[in-house]
Amino acid sequence: MAKTKKIYICSECNYESINWLGRCPNCQSWNSFTEETRIPETAATDKGINSWLEDTAGRSEAVELNQAAGVIESRFAPLKDFTDFNRVLGGGLVKGSLTLLGGEPGIGKSTLLLQLCRSVAAARILYVCGEESPAQIKLRADRLGIKRSGIYLYPEVNFHKICQMAQKLQADLLIVDSIQTVYMPESSGNLGAVSQIKNAAAGFLRLCKSKGITGILVGHVTKEGQIAGPLVLEHMVDTVLMFEGDANHDLRMLRATKNRFGTVNELAVFQMTNTGLQEIQNPSHMLLANRPEGVSGSAVTAQLEGVRPLLLEVQALLNNANIGQAMRMTQGFDRNRLNMLLALLSKQFSLNLLNYDAFINVIGGLRIIEPACDLAVAAAILSSYYDMPLPNNSLFLGELGLTGELRSVNNIERRLNEAKGLGINQVFLPSADKSALSKSSLSTSLNLYFLDQLKQLTDICWQKTT
């Protein structure tokens, strides 16, 4: 009989240790180590689910690249009513691929998948419901108006039974909700343990590749914002989708952080309604629809989500710090970058911002990930400090250096075209982008203010010298 050994694995980062540790030396998490039994590979077979790299006899052979059999990339027909979902995936679901869908509990992952089932035409779908009963899913499907046939609900958490049912039904699409509920009897650890999640995901990967089934695994997100379970899950699968949102808003964002069949960082925006998720074709218009005019502390910028420009409203509020150290709070913006911008503004304009509480909020529950939005954040802070509104229908673009200079912005013309379509008529941007726009019609249809230094912003906006 093969010998087994006990090891301790961090449930947050998959770090392994032969002894129990109170704090993980890799991710610094406390009390995250769980005891598991390591079973030799010979004892942990998948009961007939061979690797797609093996032949029928179970042998693996090296194949020269020029002699390897090519596979034509085959996708499901375009998903109706899910055009942006298609774009995030790079053109639709690829047959034989494995996708990981991550998101916080209750964000709407199951709702999204049910609507996806309705949109995928002429496909036999096996929906493994490990967290909810079929009656609960049927109740949600009735609320969403899903009537189509060919969707089979399977309340099972045993990996081998799921694989057998998928092959019995000859399923085209396999949805596992969620991967944390699936277990393999021959693997060590309790339900949801690192070894169970990792081995089950590896088994589903072999099943999808060998049988040509398109698989979608649902994974919950921890409080640190990572998909629960080892990070190796994200390395195994072909595509990683993150479903994000704010509990205080009805907007939901779907973005690809990994995609072997398309580009990454594409974004699809949904609105949660009583009848399910609805795609928003023009999210910029919706985000700026109720923006107040003539108020201080508000600025508009443009951020690229993949190849799609998205207009965001940034709000800043400065207030005298009455007690103790000044607060720095952000929603949708990096707090360390805020501290850097406050230090830059303090030096450039001789302001004592250390005695002010600073609050930054990105409207709609979105987040700024590009340094090209620095100028908008700085403009909103200055507007709040002087209590003077910025010019109406204005856009602010530019990355700020520590000496106050403005750096160029990539894909500037695409951003300006989006802004022009929403009624923006003047843009503050770096002088380094002047040559890129010299031959564009935007130079005549928009009022462009090219800035070399941050100090020029107040001179143009308020004719203010500081």
Side-chain angles (χ1 to χ4, degrees):
M1 181 177 178
K3 293 184 178 180
T4 62
K5 65 176 182 178
K6 292 183 179 180
I7 61 172
Y8 297 87
I9 301 179
C10 175
S11 60
E12 299 294 334
C13 67
N14 202 34
Y15 181 84
E16 297 182 3
S17 173
I18 59 174
N19 298 314
W20 185 88
L21 301 175
R23 187 177 188 180
C24 177
N26 185 44
C27 66
Q28 308 302 318
S29 299
W30 289 93
N31 298 322
S32 59
F33 278 89
T34 57
E35 179 182 324
E36 296 187 8
T37 302
R38 178 63 54 84
I39 301 177
E41 184 178 358
T42 56
T45 61
D46 283 348
K47 295 185 179 180
I49 305 300
N50 296 323
S51 169
W52 73 95
L53 299 176
E54 298 175 352
D55 57 20
T56 56
R59 298 188 301 268
S60 298
E61 297 292 342
V63 180
E64 186 181 356
L65 175 62
N66 295 332
Q67 303 298 325
V71 177
I72 300 176
E73 183 181 297
S74 177
R75 298 178 184 262
F76 284 104
L79 310 178
K80 56 183 179 179
D81 303 327
F82 270 61
T83 55
D84 285 347
F85 192 97
N86 283 331
R87 181 172 48 78
V88 170
L89 290 172
L93 291 166
V94 177
K95 295 183 179 181
S97 65
L98 186 63
T99 298
L100 178 63
L101 175 64
E104 296 179 357
I107 200 67
K109 300 185 296 298
S110 299
T111 300
L112 177 66
L113 291 175
L114 274 179
Q115 292 185 241
L116 176 65
C117 293
R118 178 177 58 188
S119 299
V120 177
R124 297 173 66 88
I125 302 172
L126 178 60
Y127 192 112
V128 179
C129 40
E131 296 184 351
E132 297 178 285
S133 67
Q136 289 176 295
I137 297 179
K138 178 64 167 58
L139 186 64
R140 182 185 296 115
D142 292 340
R143 177 173 58 84
L144 298 175
I146 299 176
K147 303 292 184 181
R148 63 152 288 182
S149 60
I151 302 176
Y152 299 88
L153 304 180
Y154 190 42
E156 183 57 63
V157 294
N158 187 302
F159 168 77
H160 301 297
K161 293 182 179 180
I162 295 173
C163 292
Q164 292 169 3
M165 182 58 67
Q167 297 177 78
K168 178 182 178 180
L169 293 177
Q170 296 181 347
D172 301 303
L173 178 61
L174 171 64
I175 298 175
V176 181
D177 189 6
S178 66
I179 186 61
Q180 278 85 10
T181 63
V182 179
Y183 78 97
M184 302 181 74
E186 68 274 12
S187 296
S188 63
N190 298 323
L191 189 67
V194 172
S195 59
Q196 288 284 0
I197 296 174
K198 182 172 61 175
N199 292 334
F204 283 124
L205 178 66
R206 292 192 291 273
L207 173 68
C208 292
K209 299 296 183 184
S210 61
K211 305 300 180 181
I213 301 174
T214 300
I216 300 179
L217 308 179
V218 177
H220 294 305
V221 168
T222 64
K223 60 183 179 180
E224 287 81 14
Q226 298 178 346
I227 297 178
L231 294 178
V232 71
L233 284 185
E234 301 183 31
H235 298 290
M236 285 182 182
V237 299
D238 299 306
T239 306
V240 178
L241 302 178
M242 294 298 298
F243 200 45
E244 305 167 345
D246 190 341
N248 299 320
H249 299 83
D250 57 2
L251 291 183
R252 301 290 186 268
M253 283 72 67
L254 180 73
R255 67 177 76 238
T257 59
K258 173 187 177 181
N259 193 353
R260 289 173 177 164
F261 310 107
T263 59
V264 296
N265 294 325
E266 290 288 353
L267 179 73
V269 182
F270 299 87
Q271 184 178 16
M272 180 66 78
T273 65
N274 293 331
T275 58
L277 293 163
Q278 295 182 357
E279 279 192 351
I280 301 176
Q281 300 299 327
N282 192 349
S284 297
H285 181 270
M286 180 179 181
L287 292 171
L288 301 181
N290 299 320
R291 180 175 179 260
E293 295 184 357
V295 297
S296 60
S298 175
V300 177
T301 186
Q303 177 172 269
L304 277 183
E305 297 285 353
V307 297
R308 180 180 192 172
L310 187 66
L311 265 61
L312 305 174
E313 179 188 357
V314 182
Q315 291 185 345
L317 175 63
L318 266 65
N319 191 33
N320 285 316
N322 296 322
I323 302 175
Q325 187 178 2
M327 291 188 296
R328 303 285 186 261
M329 298 186 65
T330 61
Q331 184 70 35
F333 189 71
D334 183 57
R335 189 168 62 175
N336 292 328
R337 196 158 190 88
L338 171 61
N339 290 330
M340 185 196 75
L341 292 178
L342 289 174
L344 173 63
L345 293 173
S346 297
K347 183 171 184 178
Q348 290 291 319
F349 296 94
S350 301
L351 306 177
N352 188 14
L353 297 180
L354 293 177
N355 295 328
Y356 284 83
D357 295 331
F359 306 90
I360 299 294
N361 181 36
V362 182
I363 299 301
L366 300 176
R367 54 188 173 92
I368 290 177
I369 57 177
E370 275 193 299
C373 302
D374 285 350
L375 183 61
V377 179
I381 293 174
L382 291 173
S383 175
S384 179
Y385 179 83
Y386 293 122
D387 197 18
M388 298 178 66
L390 294 164
N392 290 330
N393 299 323
S394 298
L395 184 74
F396 298 85
L397 290 170
E399 178 183 355
L400 289 173
L402 293 181
T403 60
E405 82 281 5
L406 270 74
R407 301 296 181 92
S408 62
V409 178
N410 64 325
N411 294 300
I412 186 68
E413 190 170 351
R414 185 175 298 165
R415 302 174 197 248
L416 297 189
N417 280 322
E418 178 75 9
K420 180 183 176 182
L422 293 175
I424 300 292
N425 53 34
Q426 53 186 349
V427 182
F428 297 82
L429 68 165
S431 298
D433 294 315
K434 190 172 184 179
S435 59
L437 296 171
S438 59
K439 297 181 180 180
S440 173
S441 60
L442 295 171
S443 59
T444 57
S445 57
L446 294 174
N447 295 323
L448 303 180
Y449 298 96
F450 295 101
L451 310 178
D452 293 310
Q453 290 287 326
L454 180 59
K455 286 185 176 181
Q456 296 173 303
L457 179 66
T458 55
D459 298 337
I460 299 175
C461 290
W462 306 302
Q463 289 77 45
K464 193 178 189 70
T465 57
T466 57

